Amino acid sequence: MADSNLHRNLRPALLGLVAFYLYLAGEGLLVWSSASRIPPVLSALGAALLLLGMARSLGTPLGRRLGSHRTAFLAGVVVMAHTLLWMLRDPLASPGPRLSVVLLGGSMVLLSARWLAALSGLVVGGLVGGALLIPGVGLEDNAMLSLLAATVTAFIVQRFHVRSVRRLTDLRRAAEEERQAREESDERYRLAAEGSSDGLYDWNLRTQSVFFSNRWQSLLGEGQPLDSDPAEWLGRIHPDDASRVRESLERHWSGATAQFEEEHRLRQADGEYRWVLARGVSQRAPDGTAIRMAGSLTDLSTRGLFDPLTGLPNRRLLIERLERALAARGRDDSDFSVLFVDLDRFKLVNDSLGHSAGDALLIEAAARIQSCVRATDTVARLGGDEFVIVLERVDVPEGVLVTIERIQSKLSVPMKVDARELHLGASIGAVMDTRGYDDALDVLRDADTAMYEAKQRGQPWAVFDVAMRERLSERLSLEGELHLALRCEQFVVHYQPIVDVDSEEITGYEALVRWDHPERGLVGPNHFIEVMEETGLIVELGEWVLRSACVEIMTAFPAGGSDPAPSVSVNVSRIQLRPTFAEEVAAILQEVGFDPRRLKLEITETAILQQPELAADTLRSLRTLGVQIMMDDFGTGHSSLGVLQVLPIDQLKIDRSFVQRISEDPQAAELVRAIIAMGRGLGLQVVAEGVETQAQLESLRSFECDLGQGFLFARPAGLRDVGRALAS
C-alpha cells in the first residue's frame, strides 16, 4: 500500500521530468545531436519506455500487460547511459541539463524496484528533518513527502528550464551576429572586387577549383562567367610564357618564394594576347603544404612602354614592334634585322664607381646608339647594359655591317663621368635574316646568342648561326657542372716550385687549381676559368684556393726553422680585383694564421691595365698588409715603364711564350734579356716561367734572371708528389 501511494504521489513530478527531458531533446541541448544520430534515438527510446512503464500506474490494459517495473528500469538505464556518454564526450558542457537527466533516470530506476521505495522514503525523510524515521509512521500516511518531492522536482525543472532557454537564446543571438558579420564581410569583398581595376582570383588547391571575379572576366573580354577550372587561366597563357609561369607557381607552392609574381601574356576572347602581371600568396596547412592561393591580375597594357632612365622603348614595347615587323614581313615580303648590344666592362664601372656613374654611362650610351640608326628603326633597352636594335627594311649584309661599325666607332670614344674618362666598347650579336622566324622571342634569343659568341671570341661582333646555339647549350651545361663542383668540393690545389736560377733551390710554390671531374678526371684551368669569371663563380673559387694554399703550405713548411720558409703564389682574376679585395685577403690570412710576408699574389698585366686606378689602390692596400705583388704574363700587354714605377709591384713574371723561344730565336732571347735588365734596374725580381730545357736555364743564368719555374724542375702536383719528384 505504501508503495502504491509513493507511486501516486511522485507521478506528477515524473511526468514533469519526462516533459522536460523531451523538451531538451527536441531543442538539441542534451548531447551532440548535430554530430550523431544515436543520442536522439536514445532520448526517444528512454521517453517511450518511461511512458509505457507508467501506463500501468494509470490503469491501462497495455500498461498492466507490459509491467511497470521492468520497463521503468530499462528506461532509467537507457537515460543514464545516455547521460554518461554525454559527459564523456563533452565534459565542459553546462551541468544543468545533465543534472535533470540524471534525476529523470534515477527516478525511473527507483520506480522499478519496490524494495527501493522504503529506502527512498528514509533518505528523503532524513532531508526534511527525519520525520519518516519515527517508528510506526507508514509511508502512505506521509502526504508531506509527496508534496515536498513534487515541489523540489518542479523547482529543479524550472531552474534548469530557464537556464536552458537562456542558453538557447544566447546561441541563437551569437549565430545571428555571426551571420550578419559574414554577410558584411562578403559585401565588403564584393564591393572591393567590383571597384578594383585588377582581376581577383581565389584558388582552392585541394579541389582545384578557382573563383574568378567579374573584373578578371572583363580583362579577358569574356561575355559569359568563367568556369572554376584553373585552365581558364593557365590554358590561356602564351606558349612561350607558360613554362616560366608554371615553374614560378611550383616554386611558390613549395615554399621557395614568399609571393608569386610573374609578367606574362594572356589570351583574350578575341584570340589576341594582353600583357598582365599576376600576383598571389598561398595559405598553408600546418605541415607547410599550400592549400589555397589568392591574388590579383593587373592589366599592363595601360602602363608605360618606355624605359624611365634612357627614354628608350622597354622590353614590352620592343616585343610588340618585333611582332609587328614579323607580321608586316608576311604581308609584303619585307625583311628586317636585329642587333643585340652589350656594353663591355659596364659592371666593373658600376661596381667600382657607383650606380650614379653607371646610370650616366647608360644615358650616354643610349644617345650614341640612337644616333647611329634611322628614324624608322627601333632602339630599346632590355635592362642593365643590354640594348636591342630593330633595323627595318635594311640591306643585308651591307647595311647591317655599316650600322654595326658605326655603333662600335661611337662607343669606342671615351665617355666622361665625374671628370673621369671611361672606355667601354661593346659586343654586338646580329640576326641578319629573320625570314625563318615566327616568334619575336626566338629572334631575341638568337641575337643574344650571337652577342655571347662575340664576347667569347673577343671579337666586336658576330652573326648568328645554328652552331652557336649548340655551343651555348654546352656552355650552360658546363656552368651547371661548375656550380655543382663548388658545392661538392671537386676542386684541388696543385703546386709547382719556383727555384733560384743559380742554386736551383726552392724559394716558393705557385698554387694552381685543378678540377677533379668525376668522369673526365683532372681538368686544367683553361677549360673552366673563363666560364667562372663570366658567372662570378671565380670569386668563391679564388677565396677557396687562397685559403687552402695558405693552410697546406703552412702545415707542410711551418715557419721558425733554420731555413727560410717558402712562399706561396696565388693567381688573382680580374673579377676578384674589387675595392673590397684587400679586406677579404686580410680576413683569410687572419683566419688561418698565415704570415702575409710569405704570400705573393699574381695579377695579370691586362687585369691591372683595364682598371689602373682601382688596381693601384688595391695593390697599395695589399702591400700595407705585407703581401708581395707579382705582375703575371709580363710582355703580353701594353704596360709602360711609367706604370711600373707607379704601381707597387715586387716581381715581374715573364710569359712562357718568350722563355720557350730563347734557345732558338735571337729576338726572343734579346727581349727576355731586356725585360730582366729593366726589372733589375727598377729593383724588381724577375721570374721566368715555362722553363723546360737545360739550355733555356743556362740562357736565363747568363741573363742574370733571379727565379725560374717550369717542367724542368717539376710538374704541378700535390705537395707530397712534388716533394717526391724533387727528391728522385
Side-chain angles (χ1 to χ4, degrees):
M1 183 67 180
D3 188 32
S4 63
N5 289 335
L6 176 63
H7 290 178
R8 185 173 60 253
N9 293 329
L10 291 179
R11 189 180 301 150
L14 292 174
L15 288 174
L17 285 173
V18 171
F20 182 56
Y21 183 80
L22 293 175
Y23 166 77
L24 293 177
E27 293 294 341
L29 297 176
L30 285 180
V31 280
W32 58 104
S33 57
S34 62
S36 172
R37 295 183 179 180
I38 296 177
V41 174
L42 292 175
S43 302
L45 179 60
L49 289 175
L50 179 59
L51 290 174
L52 290 174
M54 296 184 65
R56 189 167 186 268
S57 299
L58 298 173
T60 62
L62 179 61
R64 288 193 297 270
R65 202 174 296 121
L66 293 173
S68 65
H69 300 298
R70 287 188 298 274
T71 54
F73 179 81
L74 182 57
V77 171
V78 169
V79 172
M80 296 190 75
H82 180 187
T83 306
L84 178 61
L85 288 174
W86 180 12
M87 296 173 70
L88 292 175
R89 182 66 177 266
D90 191 10
L92 299 179
S94 175
R98 286 187 293 193
L99 180 58
S100 300
V101 178
V102 171
L103 288 173
L104 176 61
S107 299
M108 288 185 288
V109 172
L110 289 176
L111 282 172
S112 66
R114 297 182 182 220
W115 62 271
L116 287 174
L119 180 60
S120 300
L122 291 175
V123 173
V124 176
L127 293 175
V128 297
L132 296 181
L133 295 178
I134 301 173
V137 178
L139 189 62
E140 65 275 14
D141 297 326
N142 198 334
M144 182 68 71
L145 175 61
S146 298
L147 179 60
L148 178 61
T151 303
V152 171
T153 303
F155 173 79
I156 293 174
V157 170
Q158 177 64 22
R159 176 178 177 82
F160 290 107
H161 173 76
V162 172
R163 288 190 178 182
S164 300
V165 172
R166 186 177 301 159
R167 181 183 178 191
L168 179 62
T169 303
D170 292 340
L171 289 174
R172 286 177 174 171
R173 183 184 300 113
E176 179 64 18
E177 291 175 354
E178 182 179 356
R179 183 187 63 80
Q180 292 178 357
R182 186 168 57 251
E183 289 179 352
E184 292 176 0
S185 177
D186 292 343
E187 181 66 10
R188 285 195 298 269
Y189 176 81
R190 184 186 65 81
L191 291 174
E194 292 179 356
S196 174
S197 60
D198 293 344
L200 305 180
Y201 70 93
D202 190 349
W203 189 346
N204 189 324
L205 298 176
R206 287 175 170 172
T207 62
Q208 287 299 308
S209 62
V210 188
F211 162 78
F212 297 103
S213 69
N214 293 334
R215 176 56 180 164
W216 185 297
Q217 173 184 324
S218 65
L219 285 175
L220 300 181
E222 292 287 353
Q224 299 295 328
L226 299 175
D227 294 335
S228 59
D229 191 343
E232 290 285 10
W233 174 13
L234 302 181
R236 295 171 180 263
I237 298 176
H238 193 283
D240 293 328
D241 302 335
S243 60
R244 171 172 50 84
V245 174
R246 289 180 181 272
E247 289 174 2
S248 183
L249 283 170
E250 292 292 342
R251 288 197 304 272
H252 174 62
W253 291 337
S254 66
T257 58
Q259 180 178 355
F260 163 76
E261 183 171 339
E262 277 291 342
E263 285 189 13
H264 60 85
R265 287 164 290 179
L266 206 59
R267 188 180 69 252
Q268 301 178 92
D270 59 1
E272 296 293 327
Y273 284 90
R274 172 181 291 188
W275 278 99
V276 296
L277 172 63
R279 295 188 181 96
V281 176
S282 290
Q283 177 185 358
R284 301 184 182 277
D287 62 353
T289 304
I291 59 176
R292 180 183 177 189
M293 180 175 172
S296 63
L297 187 77
T298 304
D299 180 13
L300 296 181
S301 61
T302 58
R303 288 192 176 183
L305 298 175
F306 295 89
D307 174 49
L309 178 65
T310 62
L312 298 177
N314 59 19
R315 180 186 183 91
R316 192 163 62 254
L317 181 55
L318 169 66
I319 292 176
E320 289 181 4
R321 292 189 177 178
L322 282 173
E323 291 174 342
R324 183 186 65 189
L326 287 170
R329 183 200 60 196
R331 289 193 301 267
D332 55 16
D333 200 29
S334 63
D335 197 11
F336 64 97
S337 297
V338 175
L339 304 180
F340 199 108
V341 182
D342 181 85
L343 301 181
D344 296 333
R345 296 185 295 279
F346 172 76
K347 187 177 185 303
L348 177 64
V349 173
N350 200 47
D351 292 343
S352 59
L353 300 182
H355 293 292
S356 59
D359 290 346
L361 281 179
L362 290 174
I363 294 172
E364 176 64 20
R368 294 188 183 188
I369 294 173
Q370 203 164 21
S371 68
C372 298
V373 300
R374 300 164 300 179
T376 56
D377 299 326
T378 296
V379 179
R381 181 189 175 208
L382 285 189
D385 60 341
E386 295 177 339
F387 299 86
V388 173
I389 305 167
V390 181
L391 302 174
E392 300 192 33
R393 300 181 182 275
V394 63
D395 294 332
V396 177
E398 295 82 3
V400 178
L401 295 179
V402 168
T403 303
I404 290 175
E405 292 174 358
R406 191 180 297 133
I407 293 172
Q408 291 284 6
S409 176
K410 285 276 188 177
L411 293 179
S412 64
V413 177
M415 301 183 187
K416 284 192 175 183
V417 176
D418 296 334
R420 298 180 185 228
E421 281 197 353
L422 301 176
H423 299 262
L424 285 183
S427 300
I428 301 177
V431 174
M432 291 193 178
D433 188 356
T434 60
R435 285 174 293 181
Y437 293 91
D438 296 318
D439 188 272
L441 293 180
D442 290 343
V443 183
L444 277 182
R445 178 199 62 202
D446 290 346
D448 186 14
T449 300
M451 182 277 298
Y452 185 81
E453 184 81 8
K455 195 177 287 289
Q456 289 299 114
R457 295 178 181 177
Q459 298 175 348
W461 57 272
V463 179
F464 174 78
D465 60 53
V466 177
M468 290 181 181
R469 191 181 299 161
E470 297 175 357
R471 288 193 292 270
L472 179 60
S473 177
E474 294 174 359
R475 190 69 169 232
L476 294 176
S477 177
L478 178 59
E479 288 183 16
E481 288 187 273
L482 290 173
H483 278 279
L484 180 63
L486 276 174
R487 292 198 304 268
C488 298
E489 299 182 356
Q490 295 177 0
F491 293 99
V492 295
V493 180
H494 283 185
Y495 299 88
Q496 188 174 36
I498 299 174
V499 303
D500 184 282
V501 169
D502 292 329
S503 65
E504 297 188 25
E505 293 182 354
I506 297 175
T507 62
Y509 293 87
E510 181 181 1
L512 302 167
V513 65
R514 300 289 186 267
W515 180 9
D516 190 5
H517 195 281
E519 297 176 359
R520 299 195 293 269
L522 284 179
V523 179
N526 292 338
H527 296 282
F528 60 85
I529 286 296
E530 186 177 358
V531 177
M532 300 200 81
E533 286 183 337
E534 292 177 1
T535 58
L537 295 175
I538 192 66
V539 174
E540 182 179 351
L541 178 64
E543 292 178 356
W544 179 84
V545 170
L546 177 59
R547 183 180 291 104
S548 300
C550 290
V551 170
E552 291 188 19
I553 291 293
M554 185 173 60
T555 303
F557 307 103
S562 56
D563 297 327
S567 62
V568 62
S569 301
V570 179
N571 291 279
V572 176
S573 165
R574 59 183 177 83
I575 306 300
Q576 294 175 264
L577 203 60
R578 308 183 312 281
T580 59
F581 179 65
E583 299 175 4
E584 295 165 1
V585 172
I588 292 175
L589 293 175
Q590 184 176 6
E591 174 190 337
V592 301
F594 193 77
D595 186 355
R597 294 171 296 180
R598 296 177 61 186
L599 175 63
K600 297 179 181 180
L601 296 180
E602 299 190 17
I603 305 174
T604 64
E605 180 181 4
T606 304
I608 293 175
L609 294 178
Q610 282 182 349
Q611 39 190 343
E613 295 181 2
L614 173 62
D617 294 340
T618 303
L619 298 184
R620 291 190 189 97
S621 299
L622 291 170
R623 282 284 297 275
T624 302
L625 294 175
V627 176
Q628 297 186 53
I629 307 300
M630 179 185 298
M631 181 179 283
D632 195 10
D633 298 339
F634 186 78
T636 59
H638 306 283
S639 59
S640 64
L641 292 178
V643 172
L644 292 177
Q645 287 179 321
V646 173
L647 292 177
I649 304 296
D650 298 288
Q651 292 183 342
L652 295 179
K653 199 169 195 179
I654 305 175
D655 187 72
R656 67 178 64 249
S657 61
F658 301 116
V659 175
Q660 291 176 348
R661 303 201 314 268
I662 59 176
S663 300
E664 57 273 354
D665 186 348
Q667 289 185 344
E670 288 302 321
L671 180 59
V672 170
R673 185 197 302 272
I675 293 175
I676 294 173
M678 179 186 65
R680 295 177 67 86
L682 294 173
L684 307 177
Q685 275 192 319
V686 180
V687 183
E689 65 174 344
V691 183
E692 297 182 358
T693 66
Q694 190 66 35
Q696 293 170 357
L697 177 61
E698 294 300 331
S699 296
L700 292 173
R701 283 174 177 166
S702 66
F703 299 158
E704 297 184 352
C705 183
D706 300 300
L707 304 171
Q709 176 184 352
F711 291 170
L712 178 64
F713 309 110
R715 291 179 175 272
L719 276 179
R720 291 184 179 180
D721 295 334
V722 170
R724 285 194 292 265
L726 292 173
S728 60

